[in-house]
């Protein structure tokens, strides 16, 4: 059975524009077209419905930052060609697209030790290596040593690519990728309580 993007969004309880971001980012398998309409297999929508919540309480900190991105688009910035997330971007381009420049409290981002990247409320990438940051003339920050621990190529299954060999990165990526992670913020960065008890 196939659903329109509107029907799929209704099943998931999200705005149609939110669901279309998942389509545009190349995260959903088995899509087809019926005229101008994109059709989504029912089992893909059901898989998204059953995605578990991110197990933030396993993290040894009280709060983490969450990077909320849009679908990747071309940029004219000298250091990178893309800004945002797309499942088919090479990992090197994806890392450059995600590691800055944002308005944030860089010390708080670094203190969390991990930066989940969400698109439409799902964790699609995980960044680590956030201990050092830079600030530009506009007051935005970037994390030049950030590592892409992993990212999602298919959100329904989910299929993930683990891209870092650093200690702990693989475990963080496996815990978080493909999970649901709600965050609320007026900007690109949100701060979320882990509800963990830290000694």
């Amino acid at each position: 059975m196939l659903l329109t993007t509107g029907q799929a969004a209704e099943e998931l309880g999200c705005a149609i524009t939110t669901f279309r971001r998942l389509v545009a980012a190349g995260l959903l398998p088995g899509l087809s077209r019926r005229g101008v309409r994109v059709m989504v297999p029912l089992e893909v929508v059901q898989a998204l419905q059953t995605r578990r919540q991110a197990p933030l309480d396993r993290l040894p900190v009280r709060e983490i930052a969450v990077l909320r991105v849009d679908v990747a688009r071309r940029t004219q910035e000298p250091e990178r060609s893309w800004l945002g997330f797309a499942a088919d971007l090479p990992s090197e381009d994806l890392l450059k697209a995600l590691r800055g420049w944002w308005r944030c409290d860089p010390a708080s981002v670094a203190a969390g030790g991990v930066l989940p990247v969400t698109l439409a409320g799902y964790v699609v990438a995980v960044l680590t290596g956030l201990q050092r940051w830079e600030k530009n003339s506009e007051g935005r920050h970037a994390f030049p040593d950030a590592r892409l621990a992993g990212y999602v190529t298919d959100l329904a299954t989910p299929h993930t690519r683990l891209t870092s060999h650093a200690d702990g990165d693989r475990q963080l990526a496996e815990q978080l990728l493909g999970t649901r992670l709600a965050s609320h913020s007026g900007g690109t960065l949100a701060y979320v309580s882990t509800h963990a008890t830290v000694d």
Side-chain angles (χ1 to χ4, degrees), residues 78-96:
E79 299 170 10
R80 57 185 175 181
S81 305
W82 297 92
L83 189 60
F85 180 89
D88 60 354
L89 280 182
S91 58
E92 188 177 311
D93 286 341
L94 191 55
L95 174 59
K96 289 177 183 176

PDB file of all heavy atoms in Angstrom, residues 78-96:
ATOM      1  N   PRO A  78      33.776  29.567   1.290  1.00  0.00           N
ATOM      2  CA  PRO A  78      35.061  29.076   0.785  1.00  0.00           C
ATOM      3  C   PRO A  78      35.466  27.701   1.312  1.00  0.00           C
ATOM      4  O   PRO A  78      36.165  26.953   0.624  1.00  0.00           O
ATOM      5  CB  PRO A  78      36.065  30.153   1.235  1.00  0.00           C
ATOM      6  CG  PRO A  78      35.379  30.896   2.335  1.00  0.00           C
ATOM      7  CD  PRO A  78      33.912  30.807   2.052  1.00  0.00           C
ATOM      8  N   GLU A  79      35.028  27.348   2.540  1.00  0.00           N
ATOM      9  CA  GLU A  79      35.501  26.110   3.164  1.00  0.00           C
ATOM     10  C   GLU A  79      34.640  24.887   2.842  1.00  0.00           C
ATOM     11  O   GLU A  79      35.025  23.765   3.167  1.00  0.00           O
ATOM     12  CB  GLU A  79      35.526  26.272   4.686  1.00  0.00           C
ATOM     13  CG  GLU A  79      36.449  27.357   5.169  1.00  0.00           C
ATOM     14  CD  GLU A  79      36.263  27.645   6.644  1.00  0.00           C
ATOM     15  OE1 GLU A  79      35.556  26.878   7.327  1.00  0.00           O
ATOM     16  OE2 GLU A  79      36.833  28.645   7.119  1.00  0.00           O
ATOM     17  N   ARG A  80      33.456  25.104   2.276  1.00  0.00           N
ATOM     18  CA  ARG A  80      32.556  23.974   2.045  1.00  0.00           C
ATOM     19  C   ARG A  80      31.601  24.257   0.904  1.00  0.00           C
ATOM     20  O   ARG A  80      31.321  25.407   0.584  1.00  0.00           O
ATOM     21  CB  ARG A  80      31.770  23.658   3.323  1.00  0.00           C
ATOM     22  CG  ARG A  80      30.969  24.835   3.862  1.00  0.00           C
ATOM     23  CD  ARG A  80      30.322  24.488   5.167  1.00  0.00           C
ATOM     24  NE  ARG A  80      29.646  25.642   5.767  1.00  0.00           N
ATOM     25  CZ  ARG A  80      29.012  25.603   6.928  1.00  0.00           C
ATOM     26  NH1 ARG A  80      28.979  24.487   7.623  1.00  0.00           N
ATOM     27  NH2 ARG A  80      28.424  26.682   7.413  1.00  0.00           N
ATOM     28  N   SER A  81      31.090  23.177   0.306  1.00  0.00           N
ATOM     29  CA  SER A  81      30.175  23.288  -0.829  1.00  0.00           C
ATOM     30  C   SER A  81      28.718  23.126  -0.425  1.00  0.00           C
ATOM     31  O   SER A  81      27.824  23.470  -1.187  1.00  0.00           O
ATOM     32  CB  SER A  81      30.510  22.217  -1.880  1.00  0.00           C
ATOM     33  OG  SER A  81      31.860  22.308  -2.253  1.00  0.00           O
ATOM     34  N   TRP A  82      28.488  22.529   0.756  1.00  0.00           N
ATOM     35  CA  TRP A  82      27.127  22.204   1.182  1.00  0.00           C
ATOM     36  C   TRP A  82      26.875  22.688   2.599  1.00  0.00           C
ATOM     37  O   TRP A  82      27.799  22.776   3.401  1.00  0.00           O
ATOM     38  CB  TRP A  82      26.906  20.683   1.142  1.00  0.00           C
ATOM     39  CG  TRP A  82      27.017  20.095  -0.221  1.00  0.00           C
ATOM     40  CD1 TRP A  82      28.143  19.573  -0.790  1.00  0.00           C
ATOM     41  CD2 TRP A  82      25.983  19.987  -1.193  1.00  0.00           C
ATOM     42  NE1 TRP A  82      27.861  19.142  -2.060  1.00  0.00           N
ATOM     43  CE2 TRP A  82      26.547  19.384  -2.333  1.00  0.00           C
ATOM     44  CE3 TRP A  82      24.622  20.337  -1.210  1.00  0.00           C
ATOM     45  CZ2 TRP A  82      25.799  19.122  -3.481  1.00  0.00           C
ATOM     46  CZ3 TRP A  82      23.875  20.081  -2.352  1.00  0.00           C
ATOM     47  CH2 TRP A  82      24.468  19.483  -3.469  1.00  0.00           C
ATOM     48  N   LEU A  83      25.603  22.925   2.885  1.00  0.00           N
ATOM     49  CA  LEU A  83      25.150  23.283   4.224  1.00  0.00           C
ATOM     50  C   LEU A  83      23.901  22.454   4.501  1.00  0.00           C
ATOM     51  O   LEU A  83      22.942  22.498   3.740  1.00  0.00           O
ATOM     52  CB  LEU A  83      24.816  24.772   4.262  1.00  0.00           C
ATOM     53  CG  LEU A  83      24.514  25.405   5.609  1.00  0.00           C
ATOM     54  CD1 LEU A  83      25.698  25.266   6.549  1.00  0.00           C
ATOM     55  CD2 LEU A  83      24.155  26.874   5.422  1.00  0.00           C
ATOM     56  N   GLY A  84      23.915  21.643   5.593  1.00  0.00           N
ATOM     57  CA  GLY A  84      22.773  20.788   5.901  1.00  0.00           C
ATOM     58  C   GLY A  84      23.085  19.320   5.667  1.00  0.00           C
ATOM     59  O   GLY A  84      24.244  18.936   5.519  1.00  0.00           O
ATOM     60  N   PHE A  85      22.019  18.500   5.595  1.00  0.00           N
ATOM     61  CA  PHE A  85      22.185  17.046   5.520  1.00  0.00           C
ATOM     62  C   PHE A  85      21.532  16.457   4.274  1.00  0.00           C
ATOM     63  O   PHE A  85      20.412  16.809   3.922  1.00  0.00           O
ATOM     64  CB  PHE A  85      21.558  16.371   6.746  1.00  0.00           C
ATOM     65  CG  PHE A  85      21.688  14.871   6.724  1.00  0.00           C
ATOM     66  CD1 PHE A  85      22.800  14.251   7.265  1.00  0.00           C
ATOM     67  CD2 PHE A  85      20.716  14.084   6.105  1.00  0.00           C
ATOM     68  CE1 PHE A  85      22.941  12.866   7.207  1.00  0.00           C
ATOM     69  CE2 PHE A  85      20.842  12.706   6.049  1.00  0.00           C
ATOM     70  CZ  PHE A  85      21.964  12.104   6.599  1.00  0.00           C
ATOM     71  N   ALA A  86      22.229  15.537   3.642  1.00  0.00           N
ATOM     72  CA  ALA A  86      21.650  14.672   2.606  1.00  0.00           C
ATOM     73  C   ALA A  86      22.345  13.319   2.714  1.00  0.00           C
ATOM     74  O   ALA A  86      23.560  13.250   2.928  1.00  0.00           O
ATOM     75  CB  ALA A  86      21.844  15.256   1.206  1.00  0.00           C
ATOM     76  N   ALA A  87      21.561  12.243   2.598  1.00  0.00           N
ATOM     77  CA  ALA A  87      22.087  10.892   2.806  1.00  0.00           C
ATOM     78  C   ALA A  87      23.154  10.508   1.791  1.00  0.00           C
ATOM     79  O   ALA A  87      23.993   9.651   2.067  1.00  0.00           O
ATOM     80  CB  ALA A  87      20.942   9.884   2.753  1.00  0.00           C
ATOM     81  N   ASP A  88      23.142  11.140   0.601  1.00  0.00           N
ATOM     82  CA  ASP A  88      24.086  10.738  -0.441  1.00  0.00           C
ATOM     83  C   ASP A  88      25.335  11.619  -0.512  1.00  0.00           C
ATOM     84  O   ASP A  88      26.169  11.437  -1.397  1.00  0.00           O
ATOM     85  CB  ASP A  88      23.383  10.706  -1.808  1.00  0.00           C
ATOM     86  CG  ASP A  88      22.812  12.059  -2.217  1.00  0.00           C
ATOM     87  OD1 ASP A  88      22.863  13.006  -1.403  1.00  0.00           O
ATOM     88  OD2 ASP A  88      22.298  12.167  -3.345  1.00  0.00           O
ATOM     89  N   LEU A  89      25.490  12.549   0.413  1.00  0.00           N
ATOM     90  CA  LEU A  89      26.722  13.350   0.417  1.00  0.00           C
ATOM     91  C   LEU A  89      27.898  12.490   0.870  1.00  0.00           C
ATOM     92  O   LEU A  89      27.764  11.701   1.809  1.00  0.00           O
ATOM     93  CB  LEU A  89      26.603  14.537   1.376  1.00  0.00           C
ATOM     94  CG  LEU A  89      25.847  15.777   0.915  1.00  0.00           C
ATOM     95  CD1 LEU A  89      25.899  16.835   2.019  1.00  0.00           C
ATOM     96  CD2 LEU A  89      26.415  16.339  -0.371  1.00  0.00           C
ATOM     97  N   PRO A  90      29.067  12.630   0.249  1.00  0.00           N
ATOM     98  CA  PRO A  90      30.257  11.940   0.757  1.00  0.00           C
ATOM     99  C   PRO A  90      30.526  12.391   2.191  1.00  0.00           C
ATOM    100  O   PRO A  90      30.248  13.543   2.544  1.00  0.00           O
ATOM    101  CB  PRO A  90      31.369  12.396  -0.187  1.00  0.00           C
ATOM    102  CG  PRO A  90      30.670  12.879  -1.421  1.00  0.00           C
ATOM    103  CD  PRO A  90      29.344  13.408  -0.968  1.00  0.00           C
ATOM    104  N   SER A  91      31.068  11.499   3.018  1.00  0.00           N
ATOM    105  CA  SER A  91      31.239  11.800   4.437  1.00  0.00           C
ATOM    106  C   SER A  91      32.094  13.042   4.677  1.00  0.00           C
ATOM    107  O   SER A  91      31.836  13.816   5.598  1.00  0.00           O
ATOM    108  CB  SER A  91      31.834  10.592   5.171  1.00  0.00           C
ATOM    109  OG  SER A  91      33.065  10.213   4.603  1.00  0.00           O
ATOM    110  N   GLU A  92      33.089  13.293   3.824  1.00  0.00           N
ATOM    111  CA  GLU A  92      33.938  14.476   3.989  1.00  0.00           C
ATOM    112  C   GLU A  92      33.124  15.759   3.790  1.00  0.00           C
ATOM    113  O   GLU A  92      33.237  16.720   4.557  1.00  0.00           O
ATOM    114  CB  GLU A  92      35.100  14.420   2.989  1.00  0.00           C
ATOM    115  CG  GLU A  92      36.136  15.499   3.204  1.00  0.00           C
ATOM    116  CD  GLU A  92      37.313  15.359   2.248  1.00  0.00           C
ATOM    117  OE1 GLU A  92      37.861  14.248   2.126  1.00  0.00           O
ATOM    118  OE2 GLU A  92      37.664  16.375   1.629  1.00  0.00           O
ATOM    119  N   ASP A  93      32.275  15.768   2.750  1.00  0.00           N
ATOM    120  CA  ASP A  93      31.414  16.932   2.499  1.00  0.00           C
ATOM    121  C   ASP A  93      30.382  17.085   3.615  1.00  0.00           C
ATOM    122  O   ASP A  93      30.050  18.202   4.023  1.00  0.00           O
ATOM    123  CB  ASP A  93      30.684  16.790   1.162  1.00  0.00           C
ATOM    124  CG  ASP A  93      31.598  17.006  -0.031  1.00  0.00           C
ATOM    125  OD1 ASP A  93      32.681  17.606   0.149  1.00  0.00           O
ATOM    126  OD2 ASP A  93      31.243  16.568  -1.138  1.00  0.00           O
ATOM    127  N   LEU A  94      29.871  15.971   4.101  1.00  0.00           N
ATOM    128  CA  LEU A  94      28.859  16.009   5.151  1.00  0.00           C
ATOM    129  C   LEU A  94      29.438  16.598   6.436  1.00  0.00           C
ATOM    130  O   LEU A  94      28.806  17.439   7.087  1.00  0.00           O
ATOM    131  CB  LEU A  94      28.321  14.596   5.397  1.00  0.00           C
ATOM    132  CG  LEU A  94      27.086  14.473   6.279  1.00  0.00           C
ATOM    133  CD1 LEU A  94      25.938  15.324   5.764  1.00  0.00           C
ATOM    134  CD2 LEU A  94      26.661  13.006   6.373  1.00  0.00           C
ATOM    135  N   LEU A  95      30.643  16.194   6.799  1.00  0.00           N
ATOM    136  CA  LEU A  95      31.285  16.735   7.994  1.00  0.00           C
ATOM    137  C   LEU A  95      31.448  18.254   7.869  1.00  0.00           C
ATOM    138  O   LEU A  95      31.108  19.001   8.795  1.00  0.00           O
ATOM    139  CB  LEU A  95      32.646  16.072   8.219  1.00  0.00           C
ATOM    140  CG  LEU A  95      33.480  16.646   9.369  1.00  0.00           C
ATOM    141  CD1 LEU A  95      32.737  16.555  10.697  1.00  0.00           C
ATOM    142  CD2 LEU A  95      34.830  15.937   9.450  1.00  0.00           C
ATOM    143  N   LYS A  96      31.931  18.714   6.732  1.00  0.00           N
ATOM    144  CA  LYS A  96      32.102  20.158   6.527  1.00  0.00           C
ATOM    145  C   LYS A  96      30.753  20.880   6.586  1.00  0.00           C
ATOM    146  O   LYS A  96      30.660  22.007   7.076  1.00  0.00           O
ATOM    147  CB  LYS A  96      32.774  20.423   5.177  1.00  0.00           C
ATOM    148  CG  LYS A  96      34.234  20.018   5.136  1.00  0.00           C
ATOM    149  CD  LYS A  96      34.809  20.244   3.754  1.00  0.00           C
ATOM    150  CE  LYS A  96      36.257  19.778   3.676  1.00  0.00           C
ATOM    151  NZ  LYS A  96      36.797  19.894   2.305  1.00  0.00           N
TER     152      LYS A  96
END
